[in-house]
Short mmCIF file of all heavy atoms in Angstrom, two decimals:
data_model
loop_
_atom_site.label_atom_id
_atom_site.label_comp_id
_atom_site.label_asym_id
_atom_site.label_seq_id
_atom_site.Cartn_x
_atom_site.Cartn_y
_atom_site.Cartn_z
N THR L 130 122.29 112.51 79.56
CA THR L 130 121.15 113.38 79.91
C THR L 130 120.63 113.03 81.29
O THR L 130 120.31 113.91 82.09
CB THR L 130 120.02 113.21 78.86
OG1 THR L 130 120.57 113.38 77.56
CG2 THR L 130 118.91 114.23 79.08
N ALA L 131 120.53 111.73 81.58
CA ALA L 131 120.05 111.32 82.91
C ALA L 131 121.00 111.82 83.99
O ALA L 131 120.57 112.30 85.05
CB ALA L 131 119.91 109.81 82.97
N LEU L 132 122.31 111.74 83.72
CA LEU L 132 123.29 112.19 84.72
C LEU L 132 123.26 113.70 84.90
O LEU L 132 123.61 114.21 85.97
CB LEU L 132 124.70 111.75 84.30
CG LEU L 132 125.00 110.25 84.47
CD1 LEU L 132 126.30 109.88 83.74
CD2 LEU L 132 125.11 109.88 85.94
N GLU L 133 122.83 114.42 83.85
CA GLU L 133 122.78 115.88 83.94
C GLU L 133 121.53 116.38 84.66
O GLU L 133 121.38 117.57 84.89
CB GLU L 133 122.84 116.49 82.53
CG GLU L 133 124.25 116.45 81.94
CD GLU L 133 124.30 116.81 80.46
OE1 GLU L 133 123.23 117.04 79.85
OE2 GLU L 133 125.42 116.83 79.91
N ALA L 134 120.61 115.47 84.98
CA ALA L 134 119.35 115.89 85.61
C ALA L 134 119.61 116.57 86.95
O ALA L 134 120.41 116.08 87.76
CB ALA L 134 118.45 114.68 85.83
N ASP L 135 118.95 117.68 87.17
CA ASP L 135 118.98 118.30 88.50
C ASP L 135 117.94 117.63 89.39
O ASP L 135 118.00 117.71 90.61
CB ASP L 135 118.68 119.79 88.39
CG ASP L 135 119.78 120.51 87.61
OD1 ASP L 135 120.90 120.57 88.13
OD2 ASP L 135 119.50 120.96 86.48
N TYR L 136 116.95 117.00 88.73
CA TYR L 136 115.89 116.31 89.49
C TYR L 136 115.36 115.20 88.59
O TYR L 136 114.89 115.47 87.48
CB TYR L 136 114.78 117.30 89.84
CG TYR L 136 113.91 116.84 90.98
CD1 TYR L 136 114.33 116.97 92.29
CD2 TYR L 136 112.65 116.27 90.74
CE1 TYR L 136 113.52 116.56 93.35
CE2 TYR L 136 111.85 115.85 91.78
CZ TYR L 136 112.29 116.00 93.08
OH TYR L 136 111.50 115.60 94.13
N LEU L 137 115.49 113.97 89.04
CA LEU L 137 115.06 112.83 88.23
C LEU L 137 113.83 112.18 88.89
O LEU L 137 113.91 111.77 90.06
CB LEU L 137 116.21 111.82 88.11
CG LEU L 137 116.11 110.79 86.99
CD1 LEU L 137 117.50 110.22 86.68
CD2 LEU L 137 115.17 109.65 87.31
N ILE L 138 112.74 112.15 88.16
CA ILE L 138 111.53 111.51 88.69
C ILE L 138 111.34 110.18 87.96
O ILE L 138 111.25 110.13 86.73
CB ILE L 138 110.27 112.38 88.53
CG1 ILE L 138 110.51 113.81 89.06
CG2 ILE L 138 109.09 111.73 89.27
CD1 ILE L 138 109.30 114.72 88.97
N ASN L 139 111.30 109.13 88.75
CA ASN L 139 111.17 107.77 88.24
C ASN L 139 109.68 107.39 88.28
O ASN L 139 109.02 107.58 89.30
CB ASN L 139 112.00 106.87 89.18
CG ASN L 139 112.17 105.46 88.69
OD1 ASN L 139 111.86 105.14 87.55
ND2 ASN L 139 112.69 104.60 89.57
N PHE L 140 109.17 106.87 87.16
CA PHE L 140 107.75 106.49 87.09
C PHE L 140 107.64 104.99 86.73
O PHE L 140 107.26 104.65 85.61
CB PHE L 140 107.02 107.30 86.01
CG PHE L 140 106.93 108.77 86.26
CD1 PHE L 140 107.90 109.64 85.76
CD2 PHE L 140 105.87 109.31 86.97
CE1 PHE L 140 107.82 111.01 85.98
CE2 PHE L 140 105.79 110.68 87.20
CZ PHE L 140 106.76 111.53 86.71
N PRO L 141 108.00 104.10 87.64
CA PRO L 141 107.94 102.67 87.30
C PRO L 141 106.51 102.14 87.36
O PRO L 141 105.61 102.76 87.93
CB PRO L 141 108.77 102.04 88.43
CG PRO L 141 108.55 102.95 89.59
CD PRO L 141 108.42 104.34 89.03
N VAL L 142 106.35 100.95 86.79
CA VAL L 142 105.12 100.17 86.96
C VAL L 142 105.44 99.08 87.97
O VAL L 142 106.49 98.43 87.86
CB VAL L 142 104.67 99.54 85.62
CG1 VAL L 142 103.44 98.67 85.82
CG2 VAL L 142 104.42 100.61 84.57
N LEU L 143 104.58 98.88 88.93
CA LEU L 143 104.77 97.74 89.85
C LEU L 143 104.21 96.51 89.15
O LEU L 143 103.01 96.43 88.86
CB LEU L 143 104.00 97.98 91.16
CG LEU L 143 103.99 96.78 92.12
CD1 LEU L 143 105.39 96.45 92.61
CD2 LEU L 143 103.04 97.03 93.29
N LYS L 144 105.10 95.54 88.86
CA LYS L 144 104.64 94.35 88.12
C LYS L 144 105.60 93.19 88.37
O LYS L 144 106.70 93.36 88.90
CB LYS L 144 104.56 94.66 86.61
CG LYS L 144 105.84 95.14 86.02
CD LYS L 144 105.70 95.55 84.54
CE LYS L 144 106.97 96.20 84.06
NZ LYS L 144 106.98 96.57 82.66
N GLY L 145 105.15 92.02 87.96
CA GLY L 145 105.98 90.83 88.10
C GLY L 145 107.11 90.83 87.08
O GLY L 145 107.10 91.58 86.11
N HIS L 146 108.09 89.96 87.33
CA HIS L 146 109.21 89.83 86.38
C HIS L 146 109.69 88.38 86.42
O HIS L 146 109.87 87.81 87.50
CB HIS L 146 110.36 90.77 86.78
CG HIS L 146 111.44 90.86 85.74
ND1 HIS L 146 112.48 89.96 85.67
CD2 HIS L 146 111.62 91.73 84.73
CE1 HIS L 146 113.27 90.28 84.67
NE2 HIS L 146 112.77 91.36 84.06
N CYS L 147 109.90 87.81 85.24
CA CYS L 147 110.18 86.37 85.19
C CYS L 147 111.55 86.01 85.77
O CYS L 147 111.77 84.88 86.19
CB CYS L 147 110.05 85.86 83.76
SG CYS L 147 111.12 86.69 82.62
N GLN L 148 112.49 86.97 85.84
CA GLN L 148 113.82 86.65 86.39
C GLN L 148 114.03 87.17 87.81
O GLN L 148 114.62 86.50 88.64
CB GLN L 148 114.91 87.24 85.48
CG GLN L 148 115.03 86.53 84.15
CD GLN L 148 115.76 87.38 83.15
OE1 GLN L 148 115.29 88.43 82.74
NE2 GLN L 148 116.94 86.93 82.77
N THR L 149 113.55 88.38 88.07
CA THR L 149 113.80 88.98 89.40
C THR L 149 112.55 88.95 90.28
O THR L 149 112.52 89.57 91.33
CB THR L 149 114.27 90.44 89.25
OG1 THR L 149 113.29 91.17 88.50
CG2 THR L 149 115.60 90.53 88.55
N LYS L 150 111.50 88.26 89.85
CA LYS L 150 110.21 88.15 90.55
C LYS L 150 109.38 89.43 90.45
O LYS L 150 108.20 89.38 90.22
CB LYS L 150 110.37 87.77 92.03
CG LYS L 150 110.96 86.40 92.26
CD LYS L 150 110.79 85.99 93.72
CE LYS L 150 111.16 84.55 93.95
NZ LYS L 150 112.50 84.36 94.46
N MET L 151 109.99 90.57 90.68
CA MET L 151 109.25 91.82 90.54
C MET L 151 110.13 92.89 89.90
O MET L 151 111.36 92.79 89.91
CB MET L 151 108.78 92.34 91.91
CG MET L 151 109.90 92.82 92.81
SD MET L 151 109.35 93.81 94.22
CE MET L 151 109.31 95.46 93.55
N THR L 152 109.49 93.89 89.35
CA THR L 152 110.21 95.08 88.90
C THR L 152 109.42 96.29 89.31
O THR L 152 108.19 96.30 89.23
CB THR L 152 110.47 95.06 87.37
OG1 THR L 152 110.90 96.35 86.96
CG2 THR L 152 109.26 94.65 86.58
N CYS L 153 110.14 97.30 89.80
CA CYS L 153 109.47 98.55 90.16
C CYS L 153 110.53 99.66 90.13
O CYS L 153 111.17 99.85 89.10
CB CYS L 153 108.77 98.43 91.51
SG CYS L 153 107.61 99.79 91.80
N ALA L 154 110.73 100.36 91.25
CA ALA L 154 111.56 101.57 91.23
C ALA L 154 113.02 101.29 90.86
O ALA L 154 113.57 101.90 89.92
CB ALA L 154 111.50 102.25 92.59
N LEU L 155 113.68 100.39 91.58
CA LEU L 155 115.12 100.20 91.38
C LEU L 155 115.42 99.66 89.98
O LEU L 155 116.35 100.12 89.31
CB LEU L 155 115.67 99.25 92.46
CG LEU L 155 115.60 99.79 93.90
CD1 LEU L 155 115.81 98.66 94.91
CD2 LEU L 155 116.62 100.90 94.12
N LYS L 156 114.62 98.72 89.54
CA LYS L 156 114.91 98.09 88.25
C LYS L 156 114.55 98.99 87.07
O LYS L 156 115.15 98.90 86.00
CB LYS L 156 114.20 96.74 88.13
CG LYS L 156 114.67 95.95 86.95
CD LYS L 156 114.14 94.55 86.93
CE LYS L 156 114.45 93.93 85.58
NZ LYS L 156 113.87 94.68 84.46
N ASN L 157 113.61 99.91 87.27
CA ASN L 157 113.22 100.79 86.17
C ASN L 157 114.36 101.71 85.74
O ASN L 157 114.37 102.20 84.61
CB ASN L 157 112.00 101.64 86.59
CG ASN L 157 111.36 102.32 85.40
OD1 ASN L 157 111.22 101.72 84.33
ND2 ASN L 157 110.99 103.58 85.54
N MET L 158 115.34 101.93 86.61
CA MET L 158 116.46 102.80 86.26
C MET L 158 117.32 102.19 85.14
O MET L 158 118.14 102.87 84.54
CB MET L 158 117.32 103.07 87.50
CG MET L 158 116.58 103.83 88.59
SD MET L 158 116.00 105.45 88.06
CE MET L 158 117.55 106.35 88.12
N LYS L 159 117.10 100.91 84.88
CA LYS L 159 117.85 100.23 83.81
C LYS L 159 117.57 100.85 82.44
O LYS L 159 118.36 100.68 81.51
CB LYS L 159 117.44 98.75 83.83
CG LYS L 159 118.42 97.82 83.19
CD LYS L 159 118.17 96.39 83.65
CE LYS L 159 118.51 95.40 82.57
NZ LYS L 159 117.41 95.06 81.69
N GLY L 160 116.48 101.56 82.32
CA GLY L 160 116.19 102.28 81.07
C GLY L 160 117.05 103.51 80.87
O GLY L 160 116.88 104.23 79.88
N CYS L 161 117.97 103.79 81.79
CA CYS L 161 118.87 104.95 81.68
C CYS L 161 120.26 104.54 81.21
O CYS L 161 121.19 105.34 81.27
CB CYS L 161 119.00 105.66 83.03
SG CYS L 161 117.47 106.35 83.66
N ILE L 162 120.42 103.27 80.78
CA ILE L 162 121.78 102.81 80.43
C ILE L 162 121.81 102.32 78.98
O ILE L 162 120.77 102.11 78.35
CB ILE L 162 122.26 101.70 81.39
CG1 ILE L 162 121.39 100.44 81.27
CG2 ILE L 162 122.24 102.22 82.84
CD1 ILE L 162 121.88 99.26 82.12
N SER L 163 123.03 102.10 78.49
CA SER L 163 123.19 101.65 77.09
C SER L 163 122.75 100.19 76.95
O SER L 163 122.71 99.44 77.93
CB SER L 163 124.67 101.76 76.69
OG SER L 163 125.42 100.78 77.40
N ASP L 164 122.45 99.80 75.72
CA ASP L 164 122.10 98.39 75.47
C ASP L 164 123.25 97.46 75.85
O ASP L 164 123.05 96.36 76.33
CB ASP L 164 121.71 98.19 74.00
CG ASP L 164 120.24 98.57 73.74
OD1 ASP L 164 119.58 99.05 74.70
OD2 ASP L 164 119.77 98.41 72.60
N ARG L 165 124.48 97.95 75.63
CA ARG L 165 125.64 97.12 75.98
C ARG L 165 125.65 96.84 77.49
O ARG L 165 125.86 95.70 77.92
CB ARG L 165 126.92 97.85 75.55
CG ARG L 165 128.16 97.08 75.83
CD ARG L 165 129.38 97.80 75.31
NE ARG L 165 130.53 97.43 76.09
CZ ARG L 165 131.69 98.04 76.04
NH1 ARG L 165 131.86 99.06 75.24
NH2 ARG L 165 132.69 97.63 76.78
N SER L 166 125.41 97.86 78.28
CA SER L 166 125.37 97.66 79.73
C SER L 166 124.19 96.76 80.13
O SER L 166 124.30 95.96 81.06
CB SER L 166 125.27 99.00 80.46
OG SER L 166 126.53 99.65 80.45
N LYS L 167 123.06 96.89 79.41
CA LYS L 167 121.91 96.01 79.73
C LYS L 167 122.31 94.55 79.55
O LYS L 167 121.97 93.69 80.37
CB LYS L 167 120.72 96.33 78.81
CG LYS L 167 119.98 97.59 79.18
CD LYS L 167 118.78 97.74 78.26
CE LYS L 167 118.32 99.16 78.20
NZ LYS L 167 117.46 99.46 77.06
N ARG L 168 123.03 94.27 78.45
CA ARG L 168 123.47 92.88 78.22
C ARG L 168 124.37 92.42 79.36
O ARG L 168 124.26 91.30 79.85
CB ARG L 168 124.21 92.76 76.88
CG ARG L 168 123.29 92.82 75.69
CD ARG L 168 123.98 92.40 74.40
NE ARG L 168 123.14 92.77 73.28
CZ ARG L 168 123.23 93.93 72.62
NH1 ARG L 168 124.15 94.82 72.94
NH2 ARG L 168 122.40 94.22 71.62
N GLU L 169 125.27 93.30 79.76
CA GLU L 169 126.19 92.93 80.86
C GLU L 169 125.41 92.70 82.16
O GLU L 169 125.76 91.82 82.94
CB GLU L 169 127.24 94.04 81.05
CG GLU L 169 128.31 93.99 79.96
CD GLU L 169 129.21 95.22 79.93
OE1 GLU L 169 129.05 96.12 80.78
OE2 GLU L 169 130.06 95.27 79.03
N PHE L 170 124.37 93.50 82.39
CA PHE L 170 123.56 93.31 83.59
C PHE L 170 123.02 91.87 83.64
O PHE L 170 123.04 91.22 84.67
CB PHE L 170 122.37 94.29 83.60
CG PHE L 170 122.65 95.62 84.26
CD1 PHE L 170 123.88 96.23 84.14
CD2 PHE L 170 121.67 96.26 85.00
CE1 PHE L 170 124.14 97.46 84.74
CE2 PHE L 170 121.92 97.48 85.61
CZ PHE L 170 123.15 98.08 85.48
N HIS L 171 122.53 91.42 82.47
CA HIS L 171 121.95 90.06 82.44
C HIS L 171 123.03 89.01 82.69
O HIS L 171 122.80 88.03 83.39
CB HIS L 171 121.22 89.83 81.12
CG HIS L 171 119.88 90.50 81.09
ND1 HIS L 171 118.73 89.92 81.59
CD2 HIS L 171 119.52 91.74 80.68
CE1 HIS L 171 117.72 90.77 81.47
NE2 HIS L 171 118.17 91.87 80.91
N SER L 172 124.22 89.24 82.14
CA SER L 172 125.28 88.24 82.34
C SER L 172 125.74 88.23 83.79
O SER L 172 126.28 87.23 84.27
CB SER L 172 126.45 88.49 81.38
OG SER L 172 127.12 89.67 81.77
N LEU L 173 125.51 89.32 84.51
CA LEU L 173 125.90 89.38 85.93
C LEU L 173 124.73 89.00 86.86
O LEU L 173 124.83 89.15 88.08
CB LEU L 173 126.39 90.80 86.27
CG LEU L 173 127.72 91.22 85.63
CD1 LEU L 173 127.96 92.72 85.83
CD2 LEU L 173 128.87 90.41 86.22
N GLY L 174 123.63 88.57 86.28
CA GLY L 174 122.51 88.08 87.10
C GLY L 174 121.56 89.15 87.60
O GLY L 174 120.74 88.89 88.49
N LEU L 175 121.67 90.35 87.07
CA LEU L 175 120.75 91.48 87.30
C LEU L 175 120.82 92.12 88.70
O LEU L 175 120.84 93.34 88.82
CB LEU L 175 119.30 91.09 86.99
CG LEU L 175 118.93 90.94 85.51
CD1 LEU L 175 117.52 90.39 85.35
CD2 LEU L 175 119.06 92.26 84.76
N HIS L 176 120.82 91.33 89.75
CA HIS L 176 120.62 91.92 91.08
C HIS L 176 121.75 92.89 91.48
O HIS L 176 121.46 94.04 91.85
CB HIS L 176 120.46 90.80 92.12
CG HIS L 176 119.17 90.04 91.93
ND1 HIS L 176 117.96 90.51 92.37
CD2 HIS L 176 118.93 88.86 91.32
CE1 HIS L 176 117.02 89.65 92.05
NE2 HIS L 176 117.57 88.63 91.41
N ARG L 177 122.99 92.43 91.42
CA ARG L 177 124.11 93.30 91.83
C ARG L 177 124.20 94.55 90.96
O ARG L 177 124.32 95.67 91.47
CB ARG L 177 125.44 92.53 91.79
CG ARG L 177 125.68 91.70 93.06
CD ARG L 177 127.00 90.92 92.98
NE ARG L 177 128.14 91.76 92.70
CZ ARG L 177 128.94 91.65 91.64
NH1 ARG L 177 128.73 90.71 90.74
NH2 ARG L 177 129.97 92.45 91.48
#
Side-chain angles (χ1 to χ4, degrees):
T130 309
L132 287 167
E133 284 170 357
D135 295 293
Y136 200 79
L137 197 160
I138 310 181
N139 190 11
F140 295 93
V142 177
L143 173 64
K144 57 185 172 177
H146 189 275
C147 58
Q148 289 162 294
T149 56
K150 295 193 171 98
M151 68 165 272
T152 167
C153 194
L155 295 165
K156 190 171 170 301
N157 194 41
M158 297 299 283
K159 201 162 148 269
C161 297
I162 64 175
S163 70
D164 277 3
R165 182 176 153 191
S166 284
K167 284 184 202 163
R168 285 193 193 92
E169 284 168 2
F170 270 37
H171 283 274
S172 70
L173 292 170
L175 286 173
H176 292 281
R177 277 179 55 240

